[in-house]
Coordinates of all heavy atoms in Angstrom, one line a residue:
M547 N -61.4 59.9 82.1 CA -61.5 61.4 82.2 C -62.1 61.7 83.6 O -63.1 61.3 84.0 CB -62.4 62.0 81.1 CG -62.4 63.4 81.2 SD -63.0 64.5 79.9 CE -64.0 63.7 78.8
D548 N -61.3 62.5 84.4 CA -61.8 62.8 85.7 C -62.5 64.2 85.8 O -62.6 64.9 84.8 CB -60.6 62.8 86.7 CG -59.5 63.9 86.3 OD1 -59.6 64.3 85.2 OD2 -58.7 64.2 87.2
T549 N -63.0 64.5 87.0 CA -63.8 65.7 87.1 C -63.0 67.0 86.9 O -63.5 68.0 86.4 CB -64.3 65.7 88.6 OG1 -65.0 64.5 88.8 CG2 -65.3 66.8 88.7
N550 N -61.7 66.9 87.3 CA -60.8 68.1 87.1 C -60.6 68.4 85.6 O -60.6 69.6 85.3 CB -59.5 67.9 87.8 CG -59.6 67.9 89.3 OD1 -60.5 68.5 89.9 ND2 -58.7 67.3 90.0
A551 N -60.5 67.4 84.8 CA -60.3 67.6 83.4 C -61.6 68.2 82.8 O -61.5 69.1 81.9 CB -59.9 66.3 82.7
V552 N -62.7 67.7 83.2 CA -64.0 68.3 82.7 C -64.2 69.7 83.1 O -64.5 70.6 82.3 CB -65.2 67.4 83.2 CG1 -66.5 68.0 82.8 CG2 -65.1 66.0 82.5
M553 N -63.8 70.0 84.3 CA -64.0 71.4 84.8 C -63.0 72.3 84.1 O -63.3 73.5 83.8 CB -63.8 71.5 86.3 CG -64.9 70.8 87.1 SD -66.5 71.5 86.8 CE -66.2 73.1 87.6
D554 N -61.8 71.8 83.8 CA -60.8 72.6 83.2 C -61.2 72.9 81.7 O -61.1 74.1 81.3 CB -59.4 71.9 83.1 CG -58.3 72.7 82.5 OD1 -58.2 73.9 82.9 OD2 -57.6 72.2 81.7
I555 N -61.7 72.0 81.0 CA -62.3 72.1 79.7 C -63.4 73.1 79.7 O -63.5 74.0 78.8 CB -62.6 70.8 79.0 CG1 -61.3 70.0 78.8 CG2 -63.4 71.0 77.7 CD1 -61.6 68.6 78.3
A556 N -64.3 73.0 80.6 CA -65.5 73.9 80.7 C -65.0 75.3 81.0 O -65.6 76.3 80.4 CB -66.4 73.4 81.8
L557 N -64.1 75.4 81.9 CA -63.6 76.8 82.2 C -62.9 77.4 81.0 O -63.1 78.6 80.7 CB -62.6 76.7 83.4 CG -62.0 78.1 83.9 CD1 -63.1 79.0 84.4 CD2 -61.0 77.8 84.9
Q558 N -62.1 76.7 80.3 CA -61.4 77.2 79.1 C -62.5 77.5 78.0 O -62.3 78.6 77.4 CB -60.4 76.2 78.5 CG -59.2 76.0 79.4 CD -58.3 74.9 78.8 OE1 -58.5 74.4 77.8 NE2 -57.2 74.7 79.5
G559 N -63.5 76.8 77.9 CA -64.6 77.1 76.9 C -65.3 78.4 77.3 O -65.6 79.2 76.4
L560 N -65.6 78.6 78.6 CA -66.3 79.8 79.0 C -65.3 81.0 78.8 O -65.8 82.1 78.4 CB -66.7 79.7 80.5 CG -67.9 78.7 80.7 CD1 -68.1 78.6 82.2 CD2 -69.1 79.2 80.0
I561 N -64.1 80.9 79.1 CA -63.2 82.0 78.9 C -63.0 82.3 77.4 O -63.0 83.5 77.1 CB -61.8 81.6 79.6 CG1 -61.9 81.6 81.1 CG2 -60.7 82.6 79.1 CD1 -60.7 81.1 81.8
I562 N -62.9 81.4 76.6 CA -62.8 81.7 75.1 C -64.0 82.3 74.6 O -64.0 83.2 73.8 CB -62.3 80.5 74.4 CG1 -61.9 80.8 72.9 CG2 -63.4 79.4 74.2 CD1 -60.5 81.5 72.9
A563 N -65.2 81.8 75.1 CA -66.5 82.4 74.7 C -66.6 83.9 75.1 O -67.0 84.7 74.3 CB -67.7 81.6 75.2
A564 N -66.1 84.2 76.3 CA -66.1 85.6 76.8 C -65.2 86.4 76.0 O -65.6 87.5 75.7 CB -65.9 85.6 78.3
K565 N -64.0 85.9 75.7 CA -63.0 86.7 75.0 C -63.5 87.0 73.6 O -63.3 88.0 73.0 CB -61.7 85.9 74.9 CG -60.9 86.0 76.1 CD -59.7 85.0 76.1 CE -58.8 85.3 75.0 NZ -57.6 84.5 75.1
L566 N -64.2 86.0 73.0 CA -64.7 86.2 71.6 C -65.9 87.1 71.5 O -66.1 87.8 70.6 CB -65.0 84.9 71.0 CG -63.9 83.9 70.7 CD1 -64.3 82.6 70.1 CD2 -62.8 84.6 69.8
A567 N -66.7 87.1 72.6 CA -67.9 87.9 72.6 C -67.6 89.4 73.0 O -68.4 90.3 72.7 CB -69.0 87.3 73.5
A568 N -66.6 89.6 73.7 CA -66.3 90.9 74.3 C -66.2 92.0 73.3 O -66.8 93.1 73.5 CB -65.1 90.8 75.2
P569 N -65.5 91.9 72.2 CA -65.4 93.1 71.3 C -66.8 93.5 70.7 O -67.1 94.7 70.6 CB -64.4 92.6 70.2 CG -63.7 91.5 70.8 CD -64.6 90.9 71.8
I570 N -67.6 92.5 70.4 CA -68.9 92.8 69.8 C -69.8 93.4 70.8 O -70.5 94.4 70.6 CB -69.5 91.5 69.2 CG1 -68.5 90.8 68.3 CG2 -70.8 91.8 68.5 CD1 -68.0 91.6 67.1
L571 N -69.9 92.8 72.0 CA -70.7 93.3 73.1 C -70.4 94.6 73.5 O -71.2 95.5 73.7 CB -70.8 92.3 74.2 CG -71.4 90.9 73.9 CD1 -71.3 90.0 75.1 CD2 -72.8 91.1 73.5
I572 N -69.1 94.9 73.7 CA -68.6 96.2 74.2 C -68.9 97.3 73.1 O -69.4 98.4 73.4 CB -67.2 96.1 74.6 CG1 -67.0 95.3 75.9 CG2 -66.6 97.6 74.7 CD1 -65.5 95.1 76.2
T573 N -68.7 96.9 71.9 CA -69.0 97.9 70.8 C -70.5 98.2 70.8 O -70.9 99.4 70.7 CB -68.6 97.3 69.4 OG1 -67.2 97.0 69.5 CG2 -68.9 98.3 68.3
A574 N -71.4 97.2 70.8 CA -72.8 97.4 70.9 C -73.2 98.3 72.1 O -74.1 99.1 72.0 CB -73.6 96.1 70.8
L575 N -72.6 98.0 73.2 CA -72.9 98.7 74.4 C -72.6 100.1 74.3 O -73.4 101.0 74.7 CB -72.2 98.1 75.7 CG -72.4 98.7 77.0 CD1 -73.7 98.5 77.5 CD2 -71.3 98.3 77.9
V576 N -71.4 100.5 73.9 CA -70.9 101.9 73.7 C -71.8 102.6 72.7 O -72.2 103.8 73.0 CB -69.4 101.9 73.4 CG1 -69.0 103.3 73.0 CG2 -68.6 101.4 74.6
V577 N -72.0 102.0 71.6 CA -72.8 102.7 70.5 C -74.2 102.9 71.0 O -74.8 103.9 70.8 CB -72.7 102.0 69.2 CG1 -73.7 102.5 68.2 CG2 -71.3 102.0 68.7
G578 N -74.8 101.8 71.6 CA -76.2 101.9 72.1 C -76.3 103.0 73.1 O -77.3 103.7 73.2
F579 N -75.3 103.1 74.1 CA -75.4 104.2 75.1 C -75.3 105.6 74.4 O -76.0 106.5 74.8 CB -74.2 104.0 76.1 CG -74.2 105.0 77.1 CD1 -75.2 105.0 78.1 CD2 -73.2 106.0 77.1 CE1 -75.1 106.0 79.1 CE2 -73.2 107.0 78.1 CZ -74.1 107.0 79.1
A580 N -74.4 105.7 73.5 CA -74.2 107.0 72.8 C -75.5 107.4 72.1 O -75.9 108.6 72.2 CB -73.0 106.9 71.9
I581 N -76.1 106.4 71.4 CA -77.3 106.8 70.6 C -78.4 107.1 71.6 O -79.2 108.0 71.4 CB -77.7 105.6 69.7 CG1 -76.6 105.4 68.7 CG2 -79.0 105.8 69.1 CD1 -76.4 106.7 67.8
S582 N -78.6 106.3 72.7 CA -79.7 106.6 73.7 C -79.4 107.9 74.3 O -80.4 108.6 74.6 CB -79.8 105.5 74.7 OG -78.6 105.5 75.5
L583 N -78.2 108.3 74.6 CA -77.9 109.6 75.1 C -78.3 110.7 74.1 O -78.9 111.7 74.5 CB -76.4 109.7 75.5 CG -76.0 111.0 76.2 CD1 -76.6 111.0 77.6 CD2 -74.5 111.0 76.4
L584 N -78.0 110.5 72.9 CA -78.3 111.4 71.8 C -79.9 111.6 71.7 O -80.4 112.7 71.6 CB -77.7 111.0 70.5 CG -78.1 111.9 69.3 CD1 -77.3 113.3 69.4 CD2 -77.7 111.2 68.0
Q585 N -80.5 110.4 71.8 CA -82.0 110.4 71.7 C -82.7 111.2 72.9 O -83.6 111.8 72.7 CB -82.6 109.0 71.6 CG -82.5 108.4 70.3 CD -83.0 107.0 70.2 OE1 -83.0 106.3 71.2 NE2 -83.5 106.7 69.0
S586 N -82.1 111.0 74.1 CA -82.7 111.6 75.2 C -82.4 113.1 75.2 O -83.3 113.9 75.7 CB -82.2 111.0 76.5 OG -80.7 111.3 76.6
I587 N -81.3 113.5 74.6 CA -81.0 115.0 74.5 C -81.9 115.6 73.5 O -82.4 116.7 73.8 CB -79.5 115.2 74.2 CG1 -78.6 114.8 75.4 CG2 -79.3 116.6 73.8 CD1 -77.2 114.8 75.1
T588 N -82.1 115.0 72.4 CA -82.8 115.7 71.3 C -84.3 115.3 71.3 O -85.1 115.8 70.5 CB -82.2 115.2 69.9 OG1 -82.3 113.8 69.8 CG2 -80.8 115.7 69.7
Q589 N -84.7 114.3 72.1 CA -86.1 113.8 72.3 C -86.6 113.2 70.9 O -87.8 113.3 70.6 CB -87.0 114.8 72.8 CG -86.7 115.3 74.2 CD -87.7 116.3 74.7 OE1 -88.5 116.8 74.0 NE2 -87.5 116.6 76.0
I590 N -85.7 112.7 70.2 CA -86.1 111.9 68.9 C -86.1 110.5 69.3 O -85.2 109.9 69.7 CB -85.0 112.1 67.8 CG1 -84.9 113.6 67.4 CG2 -85.4 111.3 66.6 CD1 -83.8 113.9 66.4
Q591 N -87.3 109.8 69.2 CA -87.5 108.5 69.6 C -87.8 107.6 68.3 O -88.8 107.0 68.2 CB -88.7 108.4 70.6 CG -88.4 109.1 71.8 CD -87.2 108.6 72.6 OE1 -87.0 107.4 72.6 NE2 -86.5 109.6 73.2
E592 N -86.9 107.6 67.4 CA -86.9 106.8 66.2 C -86.2 105.4 66.4 O -85.1 105.4 66.9 CB -86.3 107.5 65.0 CG -86.4 106.8 63.7 CD -87.8 106.6 63.2 OE1 -88.7 107.4 63.5 OE2 -88.0 105.5 62.6
V593 N -86.9 104.3 66.1 CA -86.3 103.0 66.4 C -85.1 102.7 65.5 O -84.1 102.2 66.0 CB -87.4 101.9 66.1 CG1 -86.8 100.5 66.3 CG2 -88.6 102.1 67.1
T594 N -85.2 103.1 64.3 CA -84.1 102.9 63.3 C -82.8 103.7 63.7 O -81.7 103.3 63.3 CB -84.4 103.2 61.9 OG1 -84.9 104.5 61.8 CG2 -85.6 102.2 61.4
L595 N -83.0 104.8 64.4 CA -81.9 105.6 64.8 C -81.0 104.9 65.8 O -79.8 105.1 65.8 CB -82.4 106.9 65.4 CG -81.3 107.9 65.8 CD1 -80.6 108.4 64.6 CD2 -81.9 109.1 66.5
S596 N -81.6 104.0 66.6 CA -80.8 103.2 67.5 C -80.3 101.9 66.9 O -79.2 101.3 67.3 CB -81.6 102.9 68.8 OG -82.7 102.1 68.5
F597 N -81.0 101.3 65.9 CA -80.7 100.0 65.4 C -79.5 100.1 64.3 O -78.6 99.4 64.4 CB -81.9 99.4 64.8 CG -81.6 98.0 64.2 CD1 -81.3 96.9 65.0 CD2 -81.6 97.9 62.8 CE1 -81.0 95.7 64.4 CE2 -81.3 96.7 62.2 CZ -81.0 95.6 63.0
V598 N -79.7 101.0 63.4 CA -78.8 101.1 62.2 C -77.4 101.4 62.6 O -76.5 100.7 62.3 CB -79.3 102.1 61.2 CG1 -78.3 102.2 60.0 CG2 -80.7 101.5 60.6
P599 N -77.1 102.4 63.5 CA -75.7 102.7 63.9 C -75.1 101.5 64.7 O -73.9 101.2 64.5 CB -75.8 103.9 64.7 CG -77.1 104.6 64.4 CD -78.0 103.5 64.0
K600 N -75.9 100.9 65.5 CA -75.4 99.7 66.3 C -75.0 98.5 65.4 O -74.0 97.9 65.6 CB -76.5 99.3 67.3 CG -75.9 98.5 68.4 CD -76.9 98.1 69.4 CE -77.8 99.1 69.9 NZ -78.8 98.7 70.9
A601 N -75.9 98.3 64.4 CA -75.6 97.2 63.4 C -74.3 97.5 62.6 O -73.5 96.6 62.4 CB -76.8 97.0 62.5
I602 N -74.2 98.8 62.2 CA -73.0 99.1 61.4 C -71.8 99.1 62.3 O -70.7 98.5 61.9 CB -73.1 100.6 60.8 CG1 -74.2 100.6 59.8 CG2 -71.8 101.1 60.3 CD1 -74.6 102.0 59.3
A603 N -71.8 99.5 63.6 CA -70.7 99.4 64.5 C -70.3 98.0 64.8 O -69.1 97.6 64.9 CB -71.0 100.2 65.8
V604 N -71.3 97.1 64.9 CA -71.0 95.7 65.2 C -70.3 95.1 64.0 O -69.4 94.2 64.1 CB -72.3 94.9 65.6 CG1 -72.1 93.5 65.6 CG2 -72.7 95.4 67.0
A605 N -70.8 95.4 62.8 CA -70.2 94.9 61.6 C -68.7 95.4 61.5 O -67.9 94.5 61.1 CB -71.0 95.4 60.3
V606 N -68.5 96.6 61.8 CA -67.1 97.1 61.7 C -66.2 96.4 62.8 O -65.1 96.0 62.5 CB -67.1 98.6 61.9 CG1 -65.7 99.1 62.2 CG2 -67.7 99.3 60.8
A607 N -66.8 96.1 64.0 CA -66.1 95.4 65.0 C -65.8 94.0 64.6 O -64.7 93.5 64.8 CB -66.9 95.4 66.3
L608 N -66.7 93.4 63.9 CA -66.4 92.0 63.4 C -65.3 92.0 62.3 O -64.5 91.1 62.3 CB -67.7 91.4 62.8 CG -68.6 90.7 63.7 CD1 -69.9 90.3 63.0 CD2 -68.0 89.5 64.3
I609 N -65.3 93.0 61.4 CA -64.3 93.2 60.4 C -62.9 93.4 61.0 O -61.9 92.8 60.7 CB -64.6 94.2 59.4 CG1 -65.9 93.8 58.6 CG2 -63.5 94.6 58.5 CD1 -66.4 94.9 57.7
V610 N -62.9 94.3 62.0 CA -61.6 94.6 62.7 C -61.1 93.5 63.5 O -59.8 93.1 63.4 CB -61.8 95.9 63.5 CG1 -60.5 96.1 64.4 CG2 -62.0 97.1 62.7
S611 N -61.9 92.8 64.3 CA -61.4 91.8 65.2 C -61.7 90.4 64.7 O -61.4 89.4 65.5 CB -62.1 92.0 66.6 OG -63.5 91.8 66.5
G612 N -62.2 90.2 63.5 CA -62.5 88.9 63.0 C -61.3 88.0 62.9 O -61.4 86.8 63.3
H613 N -60.2 88.4 62.4 CA -59.0 87.6 62.2 C -58.5 87.1 63.6 O -58.2 85.9 63.8 CB -57.9 88.4 61.5 CG -56.7 87.6 61.3 ND1 -56.6 86.5 60.5 CD2 -55.4 87.7 61.8 CE1 -55.4 86.0 60.5 NE2 -54.7 86.7 61.3
W614 N -58.5 88.0 64.6 CA -58.1 87.6 65.9 C -59.0 86.5 66.5 O -58.6 85.6 67.1 CB -58.0 88.9 66.8 CG -57.8 88.5 68.2 CD1 -56.7 88.1 68.9 CD2 -58.8 88.5 69.2 NE1 -56.9 87.9 70.2 CE2 -58.2 88.1 70.4 CE3 -60.2 88.8 69.2 CZ2 -59.0 88.0 71.6 CZ3 -60.9 88.6 70.4 CH2 -60.3 88.2 71.6
M615 N -60.3 86.8 66.3 CA -61.3 85.8 66.9 C -61.1 84.4 66.2 O -61.2 83.4 66.9 CB -62.7 86.4 66.6 CG -63.0 87.6 67.4 SD -64.6 88.4 66.8 CE -65.7 87.4 67.6
I616 N -60.9 84.4 64.9 CA -60.8 83.1 64.3 C -59.5 82.4 64.7 O -59.5 81.2 65.0 CB -60.8 83.3 62.7 CG1 -62.2 83.6 62.3 CG2 -60.3 82.0 62.1 CD1 -62.4 84.0 60.8
S617 N -58.4 83.2 64.9 CA -57.1 82.6 65.3 C -57.3 82.1 66.7 O -56.7 81.0 67.1 CB -56.0 83.5 65.1 OG -56.2 84.6 66.0
E618 N -57.9 82.8 67.6 CA -58.2 82.3 69.0 C -59.0 81.0 69.0 O -58.7 80.1 69.7 CB -58.9 83.4 69.8 CG -58.0 84.6 70.2 CD -57.0 84.2 71.3 OE1 -57.4 83.5 72.2 OE2 -55.9 84.7 71.2
L619 N -60.0 81.0 68.2 CA -60.8 79.8 68.1 C -60.1 78.6 67.6 O -60.3 77.5 68.1 CB -62.1 80.1 67.3 CG -63.3 79.1 67.5 CD1 -63.7 79.0 68.9 CD2 -64.5 79.6 66.7
V620 N -59.3 78.8 66.6 CA -58.6 77.7 66.0 C -57.5 77.2 67.0 O -57.3 76.0 67.1 CB -57.8 78.2 64.6 CG1 -56.8 77.2 64.2 CG2 -58.9 78.3 63.6
S621 N -56.8 78.1 67.7 CA -55.8 77.6 68.6 C -56.5 76.9 69.8 O -56.0 75.9 70.3 CB -55.0 78.8 69.2 OG -55.8 79.7 69.9
F622 N -57.7 77.3 70.2 CA -58.4 76.6 71.3 C -58.8 75.2 70.8 O -58.7 74.2 71.5 CB -59.7 77.4 71.7 CG -60.6 76.7 72.6 CD1 -60.2 76.5 74.0 CD2 -61.8 76.2 72.2 CE1 -61.0 75.8 74.9 CE2 -62.6 75.5 73.1 CZ -62.2 75.3 74.4
T623 N -59.3 75.1 69.6 CA -59.7 73.9 69.0 C -58.6 72.9 68.9 O -58.7 71.7 69.2 CB -60.4 74.1 67.6 OG1 -61.5 75.0 67.8 CG2 -61.0 72.8 67.1
Q624 N -57.4 73.4 68.4 CA -56.2 72.6 68.3 C -55.8 72.1 69.6 O -55.4 71.0 69.8 CB -55.1 73.3 67.6 CG -55.3 73.5 66.2 CD -54.3 74.4 65.5 OE1 -53.5 75.1 66.1 NE2 -54.2 74.3 64.2
A625 N -55.8 73.0 70.7 CA -55.5 72.5 72.0 C -56.4 71.4 72.6 O -56.0 70.5 73.2 CB -55.5 73.7 73.0
M626 N -57.7 71.6 72.2 CA -58.7 70.5 72.7 C -58.4 69.2 72.0 O -58.5 68.1 72.6 CB -60.1 71.0 72.4 CG -60.6 72.1 73.3 SD -60.6 71.6 75.0 CE -59.3 72.6 75.7
F627 N -58.1 69.2 70.7 CA -57.8 68.0 70.0 C -56.5 67.4 70.4 O -56.4 66.2 70.5 CB -57.8 68.3 68.4 CG -59.1 68.3 67.7 CD1 -59.5 69.4 67.0 CD2 -59.9 67.1 67.9 CE1 -60.8 69.3 66.4 CE2 -61.1 67.1 67.2 CZ -61.6 68.2 66.5
D628 N -55.5 68.2 70.8 CA -54.3 67.7 71.4 C -54.4 67.0 72.7 O -53.7 66.2 73.1 CB -53.2 68.8 71.5 CG -52.7 69.3 70.1 OD1 -52.9 68.6 69.1 OD2 -52.2 70.4 70.0
K629 N -55.5 67.4 73.4 CA -55.7 66.8 74.8 C -56.5 65.5 74.7 O -56.5 64.9 75.7 CB -56.6 67.8 75.6 CG -55.8 68.9 76.2 CD -56.7 69.7 77.2 CE -56.0 70.8 77.8 NZ -56.8 71.5 78.8
I630 N -57.0 65.2 73.5 CA -57.8 63.9 73.5 C -57.0 62.7 73.9 O -57.6 61.9 74.7 CB -58.4 63.8 72.0 CG1 -59.5 64.8 71.8 CG2 -59.0 62.4 71.8 CD1 -60.0 64.8 70.4
P631 N -55.8 62.4 73.5 CA -55.1 61.2 74.0 C -54.9 61.2 75.5 O -55.2 60.1 76.1 CB -53.8 61.3 73.2 CG -54.0 62.1 72.0 CD -55.1 63.1 72.4
S632 N -54.6 62.3 76.1 CA -54.3 62.3 77.5 C -55.7 62.2 78.2 O -55.7 61.6 79.4 CB -53.6 63.6 77.9 OG -54.5 64.7 77.7
L633 N -56.8 62.7 77.7 CA -58.1 62.5 78.3 C -58.6 61.1 78.3 O -59.3 60.7 79.2 CB -59.1 63.5 77.7 CG -58.9 65.0 78.0 CD1 -59.8 65.8 77.2 CD2 -58.9 65.3 79.4
L634 N -58.2 60.4 77.3 CA -58.6 59.0 77.1 C -57.7 58.0 77.9 O -58.0 56.8 77.9 CB -58.7 58.6 75.6 CG -59.8 59.4 74.8 CD1 -59.7 59.0 73.3 CD2 -61.2 59.1 75.4
G635 N -56.7 58.5 78.4 CA -55.8 57.7 79.2 C -54.7 57.1 78.5 O -54.0 56.2 78.9
G636 N -54.4 57.6 77.3 CA -53.4 57.0 76.4 C -52.1 57.6 76.6 O -51.0 57.2 76.0
G637 N -52.0 58.6 77.5 CA -50.7 59.2 77.8 C -50.6 60.6 77.4 O -50.0 61.5 77.2

């Protein structure tokens, strides 16, 4: 296994991690920003007001994008298992 193969696998791993984390992180960012904007307008500084809607939105995002996330991860894992013979020099 050469350096280029290791770098390719590492790059693919980072890309799939970013793709899988993006829907959850973007949802939490948008909801968190909206709630903080609402809190600054109304001057209500309740901790649960920022946590509960964000947790609910992340759960909804997981439900909506969960099937896509699992299928992406399964295809990446299958591609990695398919690469094992070529990485070991077997062809």
Side-chain angles (χ1 to χ4, degrees):
M547 183 165 21
D548 62 342
T549 308
N550 290 334
V552 172
M553 292 300 291
D554 184 47
I555 291 171
L557 180 66
Q558 288 178 1
L560 289 173
I561 289 172
I562 194 73
K565 281 172 59 175
L566 293 178
I570 306 305
L571 292 176
I572 290 171
T573 301
L575 176 73
V576 169
V577 171
F579 178 74
I581 296 299
S582 67
L583 187 65
L584 179 71
Q585 281 182 328
S586 67
I587 290 171
T588 61
Q589 295 182 352
I590 299 173
Q591 298 301 322
E592 180 65 33
V593 176
T594 57
L595 185 63
S596 64
F597 178 73
V598 173
K600 201 183 308 183
I602 292 170
V604 166
V606 169
L608 275 172
I609 291 170
V610 169
S611 63
H613 179 67
W614 169 78
M615 293 168 77
I616 290 174
S617 65
E618 285 288 319
L619 195 56
V620 166
S621 65
F622 173 74
T623 304
Q624 286 175 343
M626 289 297 110
F627 277 122
D628 290 343
K629 281 187 178 183
I630 289 175
S632 66
L633 292 174
L634 295 176

